[in-house]
Amino acid sequence: MKKKTENTAERLKIIPLGGLEQIGMNITAFEYKDSIIVVDCGLSFPEDDMLGVDLVIPDITYLKDNQDKLKGFFITHGHEDHIGAIPYVFKELNVCPIYSTKLTNGLIEHKLEEHKMLTKVKRKVVKYGTHINAGDFRVEFIRTNHSIQDAAALAIYSPAGIIVHTGDFKVDYTPVYGDPIDLQRLGEIGKKGVLALMCDSTNAERPGFTASEKTVGKTIDSIFADNDSSRIIIATFASNVDRVQQIINSADKYGRKVCVEGRSMVNTIETASKLGYLHIPDNTLIDIESLKSYPDEKVVLVTTGSQGESMAALSRMANGTHKKVQIKPGDMIVFSSHPIPGNEKAVSNVINDLTMRGAEIVMQDVHVSGHACAEEIKLIYSLVRPQFSIPVHGEYKHLVAQAKIAESLGWDHDHIKILHSGDVLELGDNYSKIAGHVHTGAIMVDGIGVGDVGNIVLRDRQKLAEDGIIIVVLTLDGASGTVLAGPDIVSRGFVYVRDSEDLMESARAVLADTMDVLQEKNITDWNKIKGDIRDNLSDFVWHETQRRPMIIPIIMEV
């Protein structure tokens, strides 16, 4: 590989606004002069300490500040971490079209319809091999394989050079639906000379190749054959249409009806079936209300909840709160997924609950990843032969793992760029430089509120969750400032008051002494009064309990 040298040619800026050093929230801006295009627009799910938060979306301040340059959003596939933020982003930034393949567009449309935005956002369906002109850019969609159909890599042509962005991918020579990844086209583009490869890093730590999705179909078929007298319940990702297709194929073969449960699962299957990506024999699907009309051995239930999500259908079945399905001894429960890092405990809890109800659990050989392992990544590098390697999609350890793969193939350290969200990478022929940093961050969505929950609110929620709250209420005379009533104490999540009457009486005494001192000094400033109440009560509670609940004084004046 050549060493990096200064070059006066026009340079391209690559600006990841999310999706690095994490799983999810993928969004990257490409900027050349007065043109910006954006690849993907995803969300991430909240961390354990984000109490009450539903979703996390990227901060797009940089895009809002440069709206006049925006030429289009290009979406690689239909997973939530690549399309989930679109309705939120386009409420603030609706100045350009969204380009995507047919199924991806169908899933995006469903989201926009839920947000009553379907007629407000321009969308264009793109076929593989199509080239889209967008300002100074031209973008080509290339067929790849993933755990959802219609996934695409992008070849981004700019005056500074060609960028190949793989999206999430694996090399599957025998996909359940459609054709294998277009390795020939990737090789042809590689011969033209590629400036940089932005390659999926999620499975970069794993050696070898990712197995074909069809291998799961054989396991599913054997589960149906071996459990012909049991009810079968299969939990998988809602978006894995190929997995659902193989379940339907086995159900039809063994004479079982298929019931789909879970809102996201129902929505995805409806969209995929309507667009022709899922083939369901007539009279195979039944609704949840009809489930009791069939004997157990004649049904299979396909459901969400494979990651132990507390409100998902399988979790509610496991804890006995599902209104339509009760787990029985002898039920065969199949987890057709691997726990996402961080979800292991939640999945284990669901499995324990199901086992206590007498269900049999199967987890082995019923899932394959949708991401490329090390040998597949090597294949893509060998075909594309980029000047620069830019690992994307994954935690920091995954990015480093791909960097090591690139080094093993001959790329020198200066030509491998591990970026952080917000970095501005300038690229030209044999030239690269981190030229600055733009504002990025995570916007939290709680209910219908977008961005109204921040670090301060989360800190308060964490404090409430850890030590509870004490509310101090007192009434003051408006003229003299003397105490007319209280101080009274209301406690939640701190101690059980009926078992802690001595503690509460002592706390009231501390508050009474505090008010006596303040009145002796003729202090009437409410801020001073509240501050002394908070400080004195906090010191007392810590001394007695080694806890620091949130203390909120409320003063009423009459």
PDB file of all heavy atoms in Angstrom, residues 248-282:
ATOM      1  N   ILE A 248     -43.177 -21.097   7.972  1.00  0.00           N
ATOM      2  CA  ILE A 248     -44.439 -21.314   7.246  1.00  0.00           C
ATOM      3  C   ILE A 248     -44.325 -22.535   6.342  1.00  0.00           C
ATOM      4  O   ILE A 248     -45.265 -23.351   6.241  1.00  0.00           O
ATOM      5  CB  ILE A 248     -44.804 -20.049   6.435  1.00  0.00           C
ATOM      6  CG1 ILE A 248     -45.232 -18.921   7.391  1.00  0.00           C
ATOM      7  CG2 ILE A 248     -45.908 -20.343   5.426  1.00  0.00           C
ATOM      8  CD1 ILE A 248     -45.412 -17.584   6.724  1.00  0.00           C
ATOM      9  N   ASN A 249     -43.171 -22.702   5.690  1.00  0.00           N
ATOM     10  CA  ASN A 249     -42.974 -23.866   4.814  1.00  0.00           C
ATOM     11  C   ASN A 249     -43.101 -25.170   5.602  1.00  0.00           C
ATOM     12  O   ASN A 249     -43.761 -26.120   5.155  1.00  0.00           O
ATOM     13  CB  ASN A 249     -41.597 -23.799   4.152  1.00  0.00           C
ATOM     14  CG  ASN A 249     -41.477 -22.657   3.164  1.00  0.00           C
ATOM     15  OD1 ASN A 249     -42.469 -22.059   2.768  1.00  0.00           O
ATOM     16  ND2 ASN A 249     -40.248 -22.332   2.772  1.00  0.00           N
ATOM     17  N   SER A 250     -42.471 -25.229   6.782  1.00  0.00           N
ATOM     18  CA  SER A 250     -42.548 -26.448   7.596  1.00  0.00           C
ATOM     19  C   SER A 250     -43.947 -26.659   8.146  1.00  0.00           C
ATOM     20  O   SER A 250     -44.437 -27.795   8.225  1.00  0.00           O
ATOM     21  CB  SER A 250     -41.536 -26.373   8.745  1.00  0.00           C
ATOM     22  OG  SER A 250     -40.215 -26.435   8.256  1.00  0.00           O
ATOM     23  N   ALA A 251     -44.607 -25.563   8.549  1.00  0.00           N
ATOM     24  CA  ALA A 251     -45.975 -25.679   9.056  1.00  0.00           C
ATOM     25  C   ALA A 251     -46.899 -26.251   7.989  1.00  0.00           C
ATOM     26  O   ALA A 251     -47.730 -27.137   8.267  1.00  0.00           O
ATOM     27  CB  ALA A 251     -46.463 -24.312   9.520  1.00  0.00           C
ATOM     28  N   ASP A 252     -46.758 -25.787   6.763  1.00  0.00           N
ATOM     29  CA  ASP A 252     -47.587 -26.288   5.658  1.00  0.00           C
ATOM     30  C   ASP A 252     -47.285 -27.762   5.383  1.00  0.00           C
ATOM     31  O   ASP A 252     -48.198 -28.570   5.175  1.00  0.00           O
ATOM     32  CB  ASP A 252     -47.323 -25.437   4.412  1.00  0.00           C
ATOM     33  CG  ASP A 252     -48.201 -25.836   3.245  1.00  0.00           C
ATOM     34  OD1 ASP A 252     -49.439 -25.867   3.407  1.00  0.00           O
ATOM     35  OD2 ASP A 252     -47.657 -26.119   2.154  1.00  0.00           O
ATOM     36  N   LYS A 253     -46.015 -28.111   5.452  1.00  0.00           N
ATOM     37  CA  LYS A 253     -45.612 -29.502   5.198  1.00  0.00           C
ATOM     38  C   LYS A 253     -46.202 -30.460   6.224  1.00  0.00           C
ATOM     39  O   LYS A 253     -46.620 -31.569   5.883  1.00  0.00           O
ATOM     40  CB  LYS A 253     -44.080 -29.577   5.222  1.00  0.00           C
ATOM     41  CG  LYS A 253     -43.503 -30.975   5.062  1.00  0.00           C
ATOM     42  CD  LYS A 253     -41.974 -30.927   5.089  1.00  0.00           C
ATOM     43  CE  LYS A 253     -41.380 -32.324   5.040  1.00  0.00           C
ATOM     44  NZ  LYS A 253     -39.884 -32.276   5.067  1.00  0.00           N
ATOM     45  N   TYR A 254     -46.279 -30.021   7.485  1.00  0.00           N
ATOM     46  CA  TYR A 254     -46.749 -30.903   8.562  1.00  0.00           C
ATOM     47  C   TYR A 254     -48.191 -30.601   8.976  1.00  0.00           C
ATOM     48  O   TYR A 254     -48.644 -31.071  10.022  1.00  0.00           O
ATOM     49  CB  TYR A 254     -45.812 -30.793   9.764  1.00  0.00           C
ATOM     50  CG  TYR A 254     -44.453 -31.394   9.485  1.00  0.00           C
ATOM     51  CD1 TYR A 254     -43.392 -30.592   9.084  1.00  0.00           C
ATOM     52  CD2 TYR A 254     -44.237 -32.766   9.598  1.00  0.00           C
ATOM     53  CE1 TYR A 254     -42.141 -31.136   8.810  1.00  0.00           C
ATOM     54  CE2 TYR A 254     -42.999 -33.322   9.324  1.00  0.00           C
ATOM     55  CZ  TYR A 254     -41.952 -32.501   8.926  1.00  0.00           C
ATOM     56  OH  TYR A 254     -40.720 -33.045   8.651  1.00  0.00           O
ATOM     57  N   GLY A 255     -48.912 -29.855   8.158  1.00  0.00           N
ATOM     58  CA  GLY A 255     -50.342 -29.657   8.374  1.00  0.00           C
ATOM     59  C   GLY A 255     -50.699 -28.803   9.572  1.00  0.00           C
ATOM     60  O   GLY A 255     -51.719 -29.048  10.226  1.00  0.00           O
ATOM     61  N   ARG A 256     -49.892 -27.802   9.872  1.00  0.00           N
ATOM     62  CA  ARG A 256     -50.170 -26.918  11.011  1.00  0.00           C
ATOM     63  C   ARG A 256     -50.618 -25.540  10.515  1.00  0.00           C
ATOM     64  O   ARG A 256     -50.168 -25.053   9.483  1.00  0.00           O
ATOM     65  CB  ARG A 256     -48.933 -26.746  11.896  1.00  0.00           C
ATOM     66  CG  ARG A 256     -48.537 -27.995  12.676  1.00  0.00           C
ATOM     67  CD  ARG A 256     -47.377 -27.690  13.594  1.00  0.00           C
ATOM     68  NE  ARG A 256     -46.904 -28.869  14.310  1.00  0.00           N
ATOM     69  CZ  ARG A 256     -46.930 -29.010  15.623  1.00  0.00           C
ATOM     70  NH1 ARG A 256     -47.418 -28.036  16.389  1.00  0.00           N
ATOM     71  NH2 ARG A 256     -46.461 -30.098  16.202  1.00  0.00           N
ATOM     72  N   LYS A 257     -51.493 -24.911  11.301  1.00  0.00           N
ATOM     73  CA  LYS A 257     -51.866 -23.522  11.077  1.00  0.00           C
ATOM     74  C   LYS A 257     -50.822 -22.614  11.734  1.00  0.00           C
ATOM     75  O   LYS A 257     -50.197 -22.989  12.734  1.00  0.00           O
ATOM     76  CB  LYS A 257     -53.241 -23.225  11.663  1.00  0.00           C
ATOM     77  CG  LYS A 257     -54.373 -24.066  11.080  1.00  0.00           C
ATOM     78  CD  LYS A 257     -54.589 -23.760   9.607  1.00  0.00           C
ATOM     79  CE  LYS A 257     -55.780 -24.542   9.053  1.00  0.00           C
ATOM     80  NZ  LYS A 257     -55.997 -24.285   7.614  1.00  0.00           N
ATOM     81  N   VAL A 258     -50.644 -21.434  11.179  1.00  0.00           N
ATOM     82  CA  VAL A 258     -49.658 -20.482  11.693  1.00  0.00           C
ATOM     83  C   VAL A 258     -50.376 -19.278  12.278  1.00  0.00           C
ATOM     84  O   VAL A 258     -51.197 -18.637  11.605  1.00  0.00           O
ATOM     85  CB  VAL A 258     -48.700 -20.009  10.577  1.00  0.00           C
ATOM     86  CG1 VAL A 258     -47.716 -18.976  11.128  1.00  0.00           C
ATOM     87  CG2 VAL A 258     -47.955 -21.194   9.977  1.00  0.00           C
ATOM     88  N   CYS A 259     -50.081 -18.986  13.533  1.00  0.00           N
ATOM     89  CA  CYS A 259     -50.629 -17.802  14.203  1.00  0.00           C
ATOM     90  C   CYS A 259     -49.469 -16.854  14.501  1.00  0.00           C
ATOM     91  O   CYS A 259     -48.444 -17.270  15.052  1.00  0.00           O
ATOM     92  CB  CYS A 259     -51.333 -18.203  15.499  1.00  0.00           C
ATOM     93  SG  CYS A 259     -51.976 -16.807  16.435  1.00  0.00           S
ATOM     94  N   VAL A 260     -49.617 -15.610  14.128  1.00  0.00           N
ATOM     95  CA  VAL A 260     -48.565 -14.606  14.329  1.00  0.00           C
ATOM     96  C   VAL A 260     -48.986 -13.684  15.458  1.00  0.00           C
ATOM     97  O   VAL A 260     -50.100 -13.138  15.454  1.00  0.00           O
ATOM     98  CB  VAL A 260     -48.317 -13.806  13.035  1.00  0.00           C
ATOM     99  CG1 VAL A 260     -47.240 -12.750  13.263  1.00  0.00           C
ATOM    100  CG2 VAL A 260     -47.928 -14.741  11.902  1.00  0.00           C
ATOM    101  N   GLU A 261     -48.102 -13.477  16.435  1.00  0.00           N
ATOM    102  CA  GLU A 261     -48.417 -12.639  17.592  1.00  0.00           C
ATOM    103  C   GLU A 261     -47.275 -11.648  17.835  1.00  0.00           C
ATOM    104  O   GLU A 261     -46.103 -11.985  17.686  1.00  0.00           O
ATOM    105  CB  GLU A 261     -48.638 -13.519  18.831  1.00  0.00           C
ATOM    106  CG  GLU A 261     -48.889 -12.761  20.118  1.00  0.00           C
ATOM    107  CD  GLU A 261     -50.130 -11.889  20.120  1.00  0.00           C
ATOM    108  OE1 GLU A 261     -50.686 -11.609  19.057  1.00  0.00           O
ATOM    109  OE2 GLU A 261     -50.532 -11.464  21.213  1.00  0.00           O
ATOM    110  N   GLY A 262     -47.638 -10.450  18.216  1.00  0.00           N
ATOM    111  CA  GLY A 262     -46.658  -9.378  18.414  1.00  0.00           C
ATOM    112  C   GLY A 262     -46.842  -8.325  17.347  1.00  0.00           C
ATOM    113  O   GLY A 262     -46.819  -8.624  16.150  1.00  0.00           O
ATOM    114  N   ARG A 263     -47.035  -7.083  17.767  1.00  0.00           N
ATOM    115  CA  ARG A 263     -47.392  -6.012  16.834  1.00  0.00           C
ATOM    116  C   ARG A 263     -46.365  -5.847  15.713  1.00  0.00           C
ATOM    117  O   ARG A 263     -46.714  -5.773  14.537  1.00  0.00           O
ATOM    118  CB  ARG A 263     -47.531  -4.702  17.617  1.00  0.00           C
ATOM    119  CG  ARG A 263     -47.915  -3.506  16.785  1.00  0.00           C
ATOM    120  CD  ARG A 263     -48.281  -2.326  17.682  1.00  0.00           C
ATOM    121  NE  ARG A 263     -48.340  -1.077  16.946  1.00  0.00           N
ATOM    122  CZ  ARG A 263     -47.308  -0.263  16.792  1.00  0.00           C
ATOM    123  NH1 ARG A 263     -46.138  -0.562  17.322  1.00  0.00           N
ATOM    124  NH2 ARG A 263     -47.420   0.859  16.105  1.00  0.00           N
ATOM    125  N   SER A 264     -45.081  -5.807  16.067  1.00  0.00           N
ATOM    126  CA  SER A 264     -44.060  -5.598  15.038  1.00  0.00           C
ATOM    127  C   SER A 264     -44.005  -6.777  14.076  1.00  0.00           C
ATOM    128  O   SER A 264     -43.786  -6.603  12.871  1.00  0.00           O
ATOM    129  CB  SER A 264     -42.696  -5.365  15.686  1.00  0.00           C
ATOM    130  OG  SER A 264     -42.337  -6.449  16.522  1.00  0.00           O
ATOM    131  N   MET A 265     -44.225  -7.990  14.594  1.00  0.00           N
ATOM    132  CA  MET A 265     -44.220  -9.176  13.753  1.00  0.00           C
ATOM    133  C   MET A 265     -45.380  -9.134  12.756  1.00  0.00           C
ATOM    134  O   MET A 265     -45.211  -9.389  11.554  1.00  0.00           O
ATOM    135  CB  MET A 265     -44.312 -10.430  14.623  1.00  0.00           C
ATOM    136  CG  MET A 265     -44.287 -11.736  13.866  1.00  0.00           C
ATOM    137  SD  MET A 265     -42.648 -12.186  13.291  1.00  0.00           S
ATOM    138  CE  MET A 265     -41.864 -12.696  14.820  1.00  0.00           C
ATOM    139  N   VAL A 266     -46.560  -8.806  13.247  1.00  0.00           N
ATOM    140  CA  VAL A 266     -47.745  -8.725  12.381  1.00  0.00           C
ATOM    141  C   VAL A 266     -47.533  -7.675  11.294  1.00  0.00           C
ATOM    142  O   VAL A 266     -47.806  -7.906  10.106  1.00  0.00           O
ATOM    143  CB  VAL A 266     -48.998  -8.409  13.213  1.00  0.00           C
ATOM    144  CG1 VAL A 266     -50.184  -8.096  12.304  1.00  0.00           C
ATOM    145  CG2 VAL A 266     -49.343  -9.572  14.138  1.00  0.00           C
ATOM    146  N   ASN A 267     -47.010  -6.502  11.674  1.00  0.00           N
ATOM    147  CA  ASN A 267     -46.808  -5.422  10.703  1.00  0.00           C
ATOM    148  C   ASN A 267     -45.817  -5.819   9.613  1.00  0.00           C
ATOM    149  O   ASN A 267     -46.047  -5.582   8.417  1.00  0.00           O
ATOM    150  CB  ASN A 267     -46.294  -4.164  11.415  1.00  0.00           C
ATOM    151  CG  ASN A 267     -47.348  -3.526  12.301  1.00  0.00           C
ATOM    152  OD1 ASN A 267     -48.548  -3.795  12.146  1.00  0.00           O
ATOM    153  ND2 ASN A 267     -46.918  -2.701  13.232  1.00  0.00           N
ATOM    154  N   THR A 268     -44.700  -6.434  10.018  1.00  0.00           N
ATOM    155  CA  THR A 268     -43.672  -6.813   9.044  1.00  0.00           C
ATOM    156  C   THR A 268     -44.179  -7.893   8.096  1.00  0.00           C
ATOM    157  O   THR A 268     -43.963  -7.823   6.878  1.00  0.00           O
ATOM    158  CB  THR A 268     -42.407  -7.308   9.766  1.00  0.00           C
ATOM    159  OG1 THR A 268     -41.915  -6.264  10.612  1.00  0.00           O
ATOM    160  CG2 THR A 268     -41.320  -7.684   8.770  1.00  0.00           C
ATOM    161  N   ILE A 269     -44.892  -8.879   8.629  1.00  0.00           N
ATOM    162  CA  ILE A 269     -45.386  -9.969   7.794  1.00  0.00           C
ATOM    163  C   ILE A 269     -46.448  -9.459   6.819  1.00  0.00           C
ATOM    164  O   ILE A 269     -46.477  -9.856   5.642  1.00  0.00           O
ATOM    165  CB  ILE A 269     -45.920 -11.112   8.677  1.00  0.00           C
ATOM    166  CG1 ILE A 269     -44.737 -11.832   9.335  1.00  0.00           C
ATOM    167  CG2 ILE A 269     -46.767 -12.087   7.875  1.00  0.00           C
ATOM    168  CD1 ILE A 269     -45.123 -12.913  10.304  1.00  0.00           C
ATOM    169  N   GLU A 270     -47.299  -8.563   7.280  1.00  0.00           N
ATOM    170  CA  GLU A 270     -48.297  -7.979   6.385  1.00  0.00           C
ATOM    171  C   GLU A 270     -47.629  -7.239   5.232  1.00  0.00           C
ATOM    172  O   GLU A 270     -48.010  -7.379   4.066  1.00  0.00           O
ATOM    173  CB  GLU A 270     -49.211  -7.021   7.162  1.00  0.00           C
ATOM    174  CG  GLU A 270     -50.254  -7.714   8.011  1.00  0.00           C
ATOM    175  CD  GLU A 270     -51.149  -6.726   8.726  1.00  0.00           C
ATOM    176  OE1 GLU A 270     -50.883  -5.502   8.626  1.00  0.00           O
ATOM    177  OE2 GLU A 270     -52.101  -7.167   9.390  1.00  0.00           O
ATOM    178  N   THR A 271     -46.616  -6.438   5.550  1.00  0.00           N
ATOM    179  CA  THR A 271     -45.922  -5.666   4.517  1.00  0.00           C
ATOM    180  C   THR A 271     -45.193  -6.589   3.549  1.00  0.00           C
ATOM    181  O   THR A 271     -45.290  -6.435   2.330  1.00  0.00           O
ATOM    182  CB  THR A 271     -44.915  -4.685   5.165  1.00  0.00           C
ATOM    183  OG1 THR A 271     -45.611  -3.803   6.036  1.00  0.00           O
ATOM    184  CG2 THR A 271     -44.183  -3.880   4.104  1.00  0.00           C
ATOM    185  N   ALA A 272     -44.444  -7.570   4.093  1.00  0.00           N
ATOM    186  CA  ALA A 272     -43.672  -8.474   3.242  1.00  0.00           C
ATOM    187  C   ALA A 272     -44.587  -9.316   2.356  1.00  0.00           C
ATOM    188  O   ALA A 272     -44.284  -9.554   1.172  1.00  0.00           O
ATOM    189  CB  ALA A 272     -42.799  -9.385   4.107  1.00  0.00           C
ATOM    190  N   SER A 273     -45.710  -9.765   2.911  1.00  0.00           N
ATOM    191  CA  SER A 273     -46.650 -10.576   2.137  1.00  0.00           C
ATOM    192  C   SER A 273     -47.293  -9.750   1.026  1.00  0.00           C
ATOM    193  O   SER A 273     -47.396 -10.199  -0.125  1.00  0.00           O
ATOM    194  CB  SER A 273     -47.716 -11.148   3.072  1.00  0.00           C
ATOM    195  OG  SER A 273     -48.646 -11.912   2.350  1.00  0.00           O
ATOM    196  N   LYS A 274     -47.672  -8.536   1.353  1.00  0.00           N
ATOM    197  CA  LYS A 274     -48.319  -7.651   0.364  1.00  0.00           C
ATOM    198  C   LYS A 274     -47.384  -7.345  -0.804  1.00  0.00           C
ATOM    199  O   LYS A 274     -47.818  -7.240  -1.959  1.00  0.00           O
ATOM    200  CB  LYS A 274     -48.758  -6.350   1.045  1.00  0.00           C
ATOM    201  CG  LYS A 274     -49.486  -5.380   0.140  1.00  0.00           C
ATOM    202  CD  LYS A 274     -50.027  -4.203   0.922  1.00  0.00           C
ATOM    203  CE  LYS A 274     -48.902  -3.348   1.474  1.00  0.00           C
ATOM    204  NZ  LYS A 274     -49.408  -2.130   2.152  1.00  0.00           N
ATOM    205  N   LEU A 275     -46.075  -7.222  -0.518  1.00  0.00           N
ATOM    206  CA  LEU A 275     -45.107  -6.870  -1.561  1.00  0.00           C
ATOM    207  C   LEU A 275     -44.520  -8.087  -2.266  1.00  0.00           C
ATOM    208  O   LEU A 275     -43.680  -7.942  -3.158  1.00  0.00           O
ATOM    209  CB  LEU A 275     -43.968  -6.041  -0.947  1.00  0.00           C
ATOM    210  CG  LEU A 275     -44.380  -4.675  -0.391  1.00  0.00           C
ATOM    211  CD1 LEU A 275     -43.202  -3.995   0.277  1.00  0.00           C
ATOM    212  CD2 LEU A 275     -44.936  -3.782  -1.504  1.00  0.00           C
ATOM    213  N   GLY A 276     -44.933  -9.299  -1.855  1.00  0.00           N
ATOM    214  CA  GLY A 276     -44.492 -10.506  -2.542  1.00  0.00           C
ATOM    215  C   GLY A 276     -43.203 -11.107  -2.025  1.00  0.00           C
ATOM    216  O   GLY A 276     -42.619 -11.978  -2.683  1.00  0.00           O
ATOM    217  N   TYR A 277     -42.744 -10.686  -0.837  1.00  0.00           N
ATOM    218  CA  TYR A 277     -41.511 -11.224  -0.273  1.00  0.00           C
ATOM    219  C   TYR A 277     -41.766 -12.382   0.681  1.00  0.00           C
ATOM    220  O   TYR A 277     -40.828 -12.980   1.189  1.00  0.00           O
ATOM    221  CB  TYR A 277     -40.743 -10.121   0.461  1.00  0.00           C
ATOM    222  CG  TYR A 277     -40.180  -9.083  -0.464  1.00  0.00           C
ATOM    223  CD1 TYR A 277     -40.948  -8.002  -0.864  1.00  0.00           C
ATOM    224  CD2 TYR A 277     -38.890  -9.192  -0.962  1.00  0.00           C
ATOM    225  CE1 TYR A 277     -40.445  -7.049  -1.733  1.00  0.00           C
ATOM    226  CE2 TYR A 277     -38.373  -8.250  -1.822  1.00  0.00           C
ATOM    227  CZ  TYR A 277     -39.154  -7.179  -2.210  1.00  0.00           C
ATOM    228  OH  TYR A 277     -38.652  -6.240  -3.073  1.00  0.00           O
ATOM    229  N   LEU A 278     -43.044 -12.685   0.911  1.00  0.00           N
ATOM    230  CA  LEU A 278     -43.412 -13.781   1.795  1.00  0.00           C
ATOM    231  C   LEU A 278     -44.570 -14.518   1.136  1.00  0.00           C
ATOM    232  O   LEU A 278     -45.577 -13.898   0.768  1.00  0.00           O
ATOM    233  CB  LEU A 278     -43.832 -13.228   3.164  1.00  0.00           C
ATOM    234  CG  LEU A 278     -44.004 -14.206   4.321  1.00  0.00           C
ATOM    235  CD1 LEU A 278     -42.689 -14.899   4.629  1.00  0.00           C
ATOM    236  CD2 LEU A 278     -44.497 -13.457   5.558  1.00  0.00           C
ATOM    237  N   HIS A 279     -44.407 -15.816   0.967  1.00  0.00           N
ATOM    238  CA  HIS A 279     -45.420 -16.611   0.266  1.00  0.00           C
ATOM    239  C   HIS A 279     -46.124 -17.517   1.277  1.00  0.00           C
ATOM    240  O   HIS A 279     -45.524 -18.451   1.828  1.00  0.00           O
ATOM    241  CB  HIS A 279     -44.771 -17.420  -0.851  1.00  0.00           C
ATOM    242  CG  HIS A 279     -44.045 -16.568  -1.851  1.00  0.00           C
ATOM    243  ND1 HIS A 279     -44.700 -15.766  -2.749  1.00  0.00           N
ATOM    244  CD2 HIS A 279     -42.714 -16.375  -2.044  1.00  0.00           C
ATOM    245  CE1 HIS A 279     -43.810 -15.124  -3.491  1.00  0.00           C
ATOM    246  NE2 HIS A 279     -42.590 -15.463  -3.072  1.00  0.00           N
ATOM    247  N   ILE A 280     -47.395 -17.239   1.508  1.00  0.00           N
ATOM    248  CA  ILE A 280     -48.174 -17.951   2.517  1.00  0.00           C
ATOM    249  C   ILE A 280     -49.280 -18.743   1.827  1.00  0.00           C
ATOM    250  O   ILE A 280     -50.153 -18.142   1.174  1.00  0.00           O
ATOM    251  CB  ILE A 280     -48.791 -16.966   3.530  1.00  0.00           C
ATOM    252  CG1 ILE A 280     -47.704 -16.077   4.135  1.00  0.00           C
ATOM    253  CG2 ILE A 280     -49.542 -17.704   4.616  1.00  0.00           C
ATOM    254  CD1 ILE A 280     -48.236 -14.952   4.998  1.00  0.00           C
ATOM    255  N   PRO A 281     -49.267 -20.071   1.924  1.00  0.00           N
ATOM    256  CA  PRO A 281     -50.344 -20.854   1.306  1.00  0.00           C
ATOM    257  C   PRO A 281     -51.712 -20.443   1.844  1.00  0.00           C
ATOM    258  O   PRO A 281     -51.844 -19.999   2.988  1.00  0.00           O
ATOM    259  CB  PRO A 281     -50.009 -22.297   1.713  1.00  0.00           C
ATOM    260  CG  PRO A 281     -48.541 -22.279   1.996  1.00  0.00           C
ATOM    261  CD  PRO A 281     -48.257 -20.921   2.571  1.00  0.00           C
ATOM    262  N   ASP A 282     -52.715 -20.580   1.017  1.00  0.00           N
ATOM    263  CA  ASP A 282     -54.076 -20.213   1.418  1.00  0.00           C
ATOM    264  C   ASP A 282     -54.497 -20.980   2.670  1.00  0.00           C
ATOM    265  O   ASP A 282     -54.150 -22.155   2.851  1.00  0.00           O
ATOM    266  CB  ASP A 282     -55.057 -20.519   0.277  1.00  0.00           C
ATOM    267  CG  ASP A 282     -54.842 -19.607  -0.925  1.00  0.00           C
ATOM    268  OD1 ASP A 282     -54.201 -18.546  -0.739  1.00  0.00           O
ATOM    269  OD2 ASP A 282     -55.286 -19.973  -2.030  1.00  0.00           O
TER     270      ASP A 282
END
